[in-house]
Amino acid sequence: MRKGKKLEKRKLGFLLVTLVPAFVFYIIFTLYPNLMSAYYSLLEWNGIADPKFIGLKNFITLLTDDFVWRGLLHNLLIMIVTVPITILLALLLAFALTNTRFRENKFYQALFYMPNIMPILVVALLWSFIYDGDMGLLNGLLHLVTDNFSGKYWLADKSTALICIMIPMIWCNVGFHMIIYINAITAIPDSLYEVATLEGATMRQKMWHVTVPLIRETLITSATFLILNAFGNFEIVMLMTNGGPGGATNTLSLYMYHLAFGGKNEGITSHMYGYSSAVGIVLTILLIIIRFLMEKFSSREAVQY
Amino acid sequence: MKMKKLACMLLALTMAVGLFTGCGSEKDSGDTGKQDSQNDSSQDAPKDNTGDTNTPEESQNSGDDTYPNGLSKTEPVVLKLGIADQGNGTAQFDAALKLFQSMYPNVEIETTISADIETIVDTKINAGDDDDMFDLFWSYSRNPELIAAGALEPCEDIWDYEFNDTPGTKIRDLAPAGLVDATYYPGWPDGKEHVAIFPAMGTNYYGFFYNKALFEEKGWNQDPQTWQEFLDLCAAIKKDDVVPLISTGVYSYYLTYSLVLPKSFELAHEAGDIDAFTESFQNYGNDFYNNTYLTETWNKIGELGKLGYWHTGLAGMNHTQAQMQVLQGKAAMVASGTWIGNEMADSIPEGFEWGYMMIPFRETKDTPIYIGPAFANAGLVIWANKPETNKAWCKEFLRLMCDMSVQEGAAEGGGIPYIRTDFADNAEGMGLLHESARVSLRYIADHECISLAEKYKSIPSGASLAQAQQNYSENYVGMMMNEVNPETVLTECQALLDKAREGN
């Protein structure tokens, strides 16, 4: 009995030593900034002059701000397009790499993962040049089959700019999620695939009826990360189009960044930390709602094997 | 087993302690030089900087505990310097830092270099910790706000400092014509004009850059004097199947300073309305956006679009892509700055020669040509809420950047135009200057030019101002390509600005 209590105490001590630092860091670097942001959202403040408390005025302004609603729409479009495509591509690659016995599989894993570790500036420049109307790779490839797109500047066209931004977003993320899926797939017992093979299942059937259900939890976690990324990622948009042409690629997070740090690329502009924080709070609430909905509508049945 | 558990606990504890130690403040890390100088801020304030006529060697060997500039030789000082790594690179700082530390060994300079130094500065400003803030840093987009808040140190006294390497000569005595006046800025809390950005980093200008060799080969006019002559030039270029004009559509400030801002002032000047226009502009007045001259400027820019003189793909091009179009001979002129030669140094094809012009919007040759100076809006500033000693040393650093050797290093390494006129007499020094800088300085010398800096006396606040600025910059390309009516955009922006002016 005494031995059991001693063990409990030791366990508690170990847990405290390991968890407290993480919790303290969470408070300092996550909770505190978010609470401060909530406070800033009630202010009119440029970061230099004395802040002025204005209550909910920033939130009221936000409701009638067309740039906010347009940014939100662009974020939703990015989410709707990039999340399923990224998951699908990552899953296909993961499935292919785990179901083949090529000697160079490790090399392919590293190759597909590489875009994820490339600096975002390099990615943005690379894709900007791919889309270049004059010397871009895309037009070069299209030229092999048609001359219809000769000299087309893909990022300069309002109808194509947003989709052109989404492609590098997918390209960057596929490798990372592929690695996660490979780890999940390799944990599935071979016996399940062997049974499927004996039952005469095709590769496609194995993927949809064995792999996908068994890595469902991983897929949901992965989707959550991708959704957060679709709303929070603004660097690539800023570097490739800066929200242009004519706001066609401006997202909520980029608008928030411009409000907070000024449109440095537009010249001398004002800094609105209060209003920017209000946009940030709305974005946070939105993401919490999305997360909640994902929890609610995804089945909680645990998979055991 | 016990040992294993103990080892685990110790490891976890060590990691936790390590993490906290990593986050320790600078105060705890033994940065005594900085602490000393701040605790004793008034003790070594500068005595008379204007009277320092010593060479670096004399400064080091003056015998007592102070340098001839009145600053202590023995007090350790740490200066924090925030540098922007942009088109001109950082060559000028390499030369200046080396010289400064050899002259003043008791002053240590901690340097932070970043292409986006403004975001780092913003974060430090918001943190509100003056100890952590840079003493001297590159600043641009929020200078009006900083000036209005009294956050920057006035620096006009540096104009009366004597050069380290030319004793008896004040810096103002060798400043290019109009430079000293261009650096004075309104909007300070005391209602007077002061210098916030001392242009020790050189005199960069915006404008339109072209391939001189190509212009000569095609016989295109390299010096159009009026708007009509410029239209004729564009027509001739287009006739030769070259796109006459290009500018990045991703970063609108290139066009702002190369065209929009100076040309609206040029038109106001031509109409004899420059004073009223300047007053309204500097105060974000009730016709800040919606005024005759800005509307006319955009109408003219839109006319260029209507005639097909702007590159159709510019909306999606960053400045590098736009500049490449000129290097490849696909576009004739690009909106950029004097640093373009340094920025594109590795891509310049053989036989390419830089040429420079400002597009004239004037109808007659009687009006001066307005030109956008980069140095008046962006450059090194001193944080006001620092110890006097630190501020004095910052000014010494700025003085030292005016030394001929540093200026030559800046010209050679970064293509930066000089700030002292005796540089122009120095054939060897001029030879170091990049061609893009040389041609722009020649253009300014050969024409009656007025440098037009973006200066504000007062700035409204509120979300509506941000919306006005967002709306304006978003419509740049649309107005350039004549797809959007400038009057509509400017009226919308003015309505939003008026809301901000009313405090909404």
Side-chain angles (χ1 to χ4, degrees):
Chain A
M1 191 66 183
R2 272 183 65 193
K3 198 180 174 187
K5 268 191 178 175
K6 203 175 171 187
L7 199 69
E8 280 296 308
K9 267 188 182 174
R10 277 183 184 171
K11 212 182 231 179
L12 188 69
F14 183 76
L15 284 173
L16 280 176
V17 172
T18 49
L19 289 180
V20 166
F23 188 64
V24 168
F25 273 85
Y26 169 76
I27 290 172
I28 295 172
F29 295 112
T30 306
L31 196 62
Y32 174 72
N34 277 310
L35 290 175
M36 286 307 290
S37 188
Y39 167 64
Y40 292 153
S41 69
L42 307 174
L43 305 175
E44 184 179 298
W45 186 44
N46 67 3
I48 307 166
D50 290 336
K52 191 171 129 192
F53 185 82
I54 55 168
L56 295 174
K57 192 177 166 188
N58 282 330
F59 291 95
I60 294 164
T61 307
L62 190 149
L63 290 174
T64 56
D65 187 343
D66 291 342
F67 297 117
V68 169
W69 294 108
R70 188 193 56 193
L72 190 57
L73 175 69
H74 290 160
N75 277 121
L76 287 169
L77 288 172
I78 290 170
M79 183 188 80
I80 290 165
V81 176
T82 62
V83 175
I85 293 179
T86 307
I87 291 174
L88 189 66
L89 289 176
L91 193 59
L92 286 172
L93 288 172
F95 189 75
L97 289 177
T98 47
N99 281 280
T100 51
R101 296 284 180 266
F102 295 132
R103 277 173 59 196
E104 60 273 20
N105 271 5
K106 288 284 173 197
F107 167 74
Y108 289 134
Q109 280 185 30
L111 189 72
F112 295 137
Y113 185 70
M114 207 171 65
N116 189 258
I117 54 167
M118 282 171 82
I120 202 74
L121 181 67
V122 175
V123 173
L125 280 176
L126 181 75
W127 281 92
S128 292
F129 279 102
I130 286 174
Y131 293 134
D132 192 282
D134 202 40
M135 51 187 168
L137 183 66
L138 180 61
N139 281 359
L141 291 173
L142 288 171
H143 182 67
L144 298 174
V145 286
T146 173
D147 278 338
N148 288 350
F149 300 107
S150 178
K152 181 173 177 63
Y153 284 81
W154 298 87
L155 291 174
D157 188 333
K158 280 185 182 180
S159 63
T160 54
L162 190 63
I163 200 79
C164 288
I165 295 288
M166 293 177 193
I167 293 170
M169 283 178 179
I170 294 168
W171 185 69
C172 281
N173 282 321
V174 163
F176 175 73
H177 293 270
M178 175 198 74
I179 297 288
I180 294 176
Y181 301 160
I182 286 175
N183 285 333
I185 291 170
T186 45
I188 298 172
D190 286 343
S191 56
L192 295 176
Y193 288 106
E194 284 161 11
V195 171
T197 308
L198 289 173
E199 296 282 339
T202 62
M203 286 298 269
R204 201 177 65 179
Q205 284 169 327
K206 281 182 198 172
M207 182 174 159
W208 290 114
H209 300 294
V210 179
T211 307
V212 171
L214 292 177
I215 64 164
R216 215 183 104 264
E217 289 299 321
T218 308
L219 290 173
I220 290 170
T221 309
S222 162
T224 307
F225 278 124
L226 285 166
I227 289 170
L228 292 176
N229 198 44
F231 278 89
N233 183 348
F234 69 92
E235 298 95 335
I236 202 156
V237 186
M238 186 169 75
L239 291 165
M240 286 181 74
T241 61
N242 200 28
T249 58
N250 209 344
T251 60
L252 198 54
S253 44
L254 181 62
Y255 183 49
M256 186 177 77
Y257 178 84
H258 280 159
L259 288 169
F261 295 104
K264 293 184 181 74
N265 297 322
E266 279 76 46
I268 290 172
T269 48
S270 302
H271 293 52
M272 312 278 173
Y273 289 109
Y275 190 51
S276 173
S277 298
V279 175
I281 292 294
V282 168
L283 192 58
T284 307
I285 292 169
L286 193 76
L287 290 173
I288 291 170
I289 291 170
I290 291 173
R291 180 75 188 100
F292 174 76
L293 290 175
M294 282 184 73
E295 282 283 317
K296 193 172 167 60
F297 292 109
S298 62
S299 158
R300 288 175 183 276
E301 285 169 24
V303 179
Q304 287 184 339
Y305 47 81
Chain B
M1 189 66 185
K2 265 189 177 177
M3 281 304 288
K4 205 174 178 183
K5 276 182 185 171
L6 188 69
C8 280
M9 295 286 276
L10 275 174
L11 180 65
L13 196 67
T14 311
M15 283 171 73
V17 171
L19 284 167
F20 280 111
T21 312
C23 286
S25 72
E26 209 170 294
K27 281 176 189 166
D28 302 327
S29 63
D31 189 2
T32 51
K34 184 178 143 198
Q35 294 301 309
D36 288 347
S37 67
Q38 289 189 352
N39 291 339
D40 195 13
S41 62
S42 59
Q43 187 180 317
D44 286 315
K47 289 168 187 167
D48 180 11
N49 282 308
T50 61
D52 178 8
T53 58
N54 292 59
T55 61
E57 290 73 22
E58 286 167 339
S59 292
Q60 274 190 287
N61 302 318
S62 57
D64 53 27
D65 284 346
T66 58
Y67 295 105
N69 59 19
L71 295 165
S72 171
K73 273 184 178 179
T74 54
E75 183 189 5
V77 176
V78 178
L79 294 183
K80 289 178 178 162
L81 177 60
I83 296 171
D85 186 2
Q86 296 187 332
N88 286 130
T90 57
Q92 62 184 149
F93 294 104
D94 299 338
L97 285 166
K98 202 173 163 189
L99 183 58
F100 190 86
Q101 303 228 286
S102 70
M103 285 173 67
Y104 307 114
N106 60 314
V107 183
E108 186 190 333
I109 299 188
E110 292 174 357
T111 311
T112 303
I113 302 173
S114 169
D116 191 16
I117 195 75
E118 280 211 285
T119 302
I120 297 173
V121 169
D122 277 350
T123 314
K124 285 177 179 283
I125 291 172
N126 299 341
D129 181 358
D130 290 324
D131 285 353
D132 185 52
M133 184 62 192
F134 292 118
D135 295 273
L136 183 67
F137 57 97
W138 190 89
S139 184
Y140 160 49
S141 73
R142 69 182 328 189
N143 283 337
E145 286 178 341
L146 292 170
I147 287 169
L152 301 182
E153 177 73 3
C155 290
E156 55 271 24
D157 47 341
I158 305 177
W159 285 121
D160 290 314
Y161 283 17
E162 293 175 5
F163 288 103
N164 282 320
D165 59 358
T166 320
T169 306
K170 289 180 177 176
I171 296 176
R172 77 161 62 238
D173 296 337
L174 292 182
L179 178 64
V180 176
D181 288 343
T183 57
Y184 276 81
Y185 212 101
W188 294 77
D190 65 2
K192 294 177 184 168
E193 290 201 352
H194 299 285
V195 174
I197 307 162
F198 187 77
M201 287 174 67
T203 52
N204 279 310
Y205 287 93
Y206 287 94
F208 280 79
F209 292 82
Y210 59 88
N211 180 358
K212 193 177 171 61
L214 182 67
F215 267 60
E216 279 170 1
E217 182 196 318
K218 302 278 185 185
W220 296 332
N221 182 4
Q222 291 184 55
D223 193 14
Q225 295 292 314
T226 61
W227 172 243
Q228 188 52 52
E229 284 183 23
F230 182 73
L231 287 179
D232 294 342
L233 165 64
C234 288
I237 295 171
K238 199 180 175 195
K239 202 175 163 189
D240 284 333
D241 284 333
V242 177
V243 179
L245 294 161
I246 194 164
S247 175
T248 166
V250 175
Y251 307 130
S252 59
Y253 73 98
Y254 279 85
L255 195 75
T256 302
Y257 298 122
S258 298
L259 209 56
V260 181
L261 209 55
K263 295 303 117 177
S264 55
F265 277 80
E266 190 173 298
L267 291 174
H269 189 119
E270 192 164 50
D273 199 17
I274 188 72
D275 291 337
F277 181 68
T278 305
E279 190 63 17
S280 173
F281 178 83
Q282 293 191 346
N283 287 295
Y284 273 92
N286 57 10
D287 58 352
F288 178 84
Y289 286 113
N290 202 7
N291 66 71
T292 316
Y293 309 112
L294 188 58
T295 308
E296 180 58 17
T297 298
W298 275 113
N299 283 337
K300 279 185 154 66
I301 294 170
E303 187 181 343
L304 295 171
K306 191 178 171 183
L307 293 166
Y309 296 159
W310 286 113
H311 194 294
T312 50
L314 64 81
M317 283 190 204
N318 58 37
H319 63 290
T320 310
Q321 288 171 296
Q323 289 163 183
M324 281 302 291
Q325 291 285 318
V326 169
L327 294 185
Q328 293 171 344
K330 291 167 183 166
M333 292 173 270
V334 61
S336 189
T338 37
W339 53 84
I340 189 172
N342 185 60
E343 201 168 52
M344 305 303 287
D346 296 335
S347 310
I348 296 172
E350 206 171 316
F352 188 98
E353 290 174 56
W354 287 110
Y356 172 89
M357 71 167 78
M358 271 304 279
I359 297 177
F361 272 29
R362 60 187 187 180
E363 299 297 338
T364 69
K365 296 174 186 176
D366 303 330
T367 311
I369 290 180
Y370 275 68
I371 186 167
F375 59 84
N377 293 321
L380 292 173
V381 296
I382 300 171
W383 189 245
N385 207 10
K386 283 283 184 180
E388 293 302 321
T389 312
N390 288 36
K391 292 191 281 189
W393 277 116
C394 288
K395 289 181 179 178
E396 283 305 316
F397 185 78
L398 292 170
R399 179 213 307 242
L400 179 131
M401 287 185 75
C402 301
D403 274 17
M404 189 63 92
S405 64
V406 178
Q407 293 278 298
E408 284 177 354
E412 186 178 16
I416 300 163
Y418 52 83
I419 74 152
R420 46 192 294 174
T421 48
D422 61 344
F423 190 101
D425 306 328
N426 171 3
E428 202 180 318
M430 282 300 279
L432 297 174
L433 206 57
H434 287 211
E435 198 182 25
S436 59
R438 254 200 322 265
V439 292
S440 62
L441 294 175
R442 196 178 306 135
Y443 180 93
I444 293 162
D446 292 347
H447 297 77
E448 189 192 353
C449 290
I450 292 180
S451 291
L452 189 276
E454 188 179 11
K455 298 175 179 177
Y456 298 105
K457 287 179 181 168
S458 65
I459 315 164
S461 58
S464 300
L465 175 63
Q467 289 169 9
Q469 290 168 339
Q470 179 79 22
N471 192 33
Y472 186 51
S473 66
E474 271 191 6
N475 280 292
Y476 255 55
V477 174
M479 291 192 285
M480 285 168 86
M481 308 310 282
N482 200 43
E483 292 162 355
V484 178
N485 182 357
E487 260 179 72
T488 310
V489 174
L490 296 173
T491 305
E492 283 171 6
C493 293
Q494 188 64 49
L496 288 164
L497 174 61
D498 288 344
K499 273 177 76 178
R501 280 158 45 85
E502 289 157 14
N504 294 314

